[in-house]
Amino acid sequence: MVHLLTKWLIGALAVLGAAYFIPGIAVASFYTALIVAVLWGVVNIIVKPILVILTLPITILTLGLFTLVINAFLFWFLGTIVKGFSVDGFIAAFLGALFVSVVSFVGNKILVRND
């Protein structure tokens, strides 16, 4: 349980970091970042695999790089449904999704190494 809460906190801090470092992304509060982190995880578990399968030909042609575009659109989508979280444009969404993914990945790898 503590492991899951720590992953959630890492995700929320990654969202706050994206809002701090990337222009065009705004987060109203830490509470909003926690909500975005939960929804980011749910979207990545449920919606992203469906989109990857539907766009499989283009994903194969781009050697998997199209998944970055899918991540950007999903991040942008979260900006439209979460009150207090906004993403202004595709470039901000692309950079924000990349930032959140990399920070979460590194944070979770450090967490696993310390267990």
Side-chain angles (χ1 to χ4, degrees), residues 3-107:
H3 188 72
L4 182 64
L5 291 174
T6 308
K7 283 184 154 194
W8 184 27
L9 182 63
I10 290 170
L13 291 175
V15 170
L16 285 173
Y20 182 78
F21 289 115
I22 298 169
I25 298 175
V27 179
S29 66
F30 184 69
Y31 177 72
T32 304
L34 287 171
I35 292 171
V36 171
V38 166
L39 291 177
W40 179 248
V42 169
V43 163
N44 275 325
I45 289 171
I46 297 172
V47 178
K48 184 179 174 185
I50 295 168
L51 290 176
V52 169
I53 289 171
L54 290 175
T55 61
L56 195 58
I58 198 166
T59 302
I60 291 171
L61 283 175
T62 61
L63 302 175
L65 291 177
F66 191 71
T67 56
L68 296 173
V69 175
I70 292 171
N71 270 349
F73 279 119
L74 292 175
F75 197 73
W76 200 2
F77 171 69
L78 285 179
T80 63
I81 64 170
V82 177
K83 186 177 180 180
F85 177 64
S86 66
V87 181
D88 299 331
F90 180 77
I91 300 297
F94 184 84
L95 294 175
L98 190 62
F99 183 87
V100 170
S101 297
V102 168
V103 169
S104 295
F105 176 78
V106 171

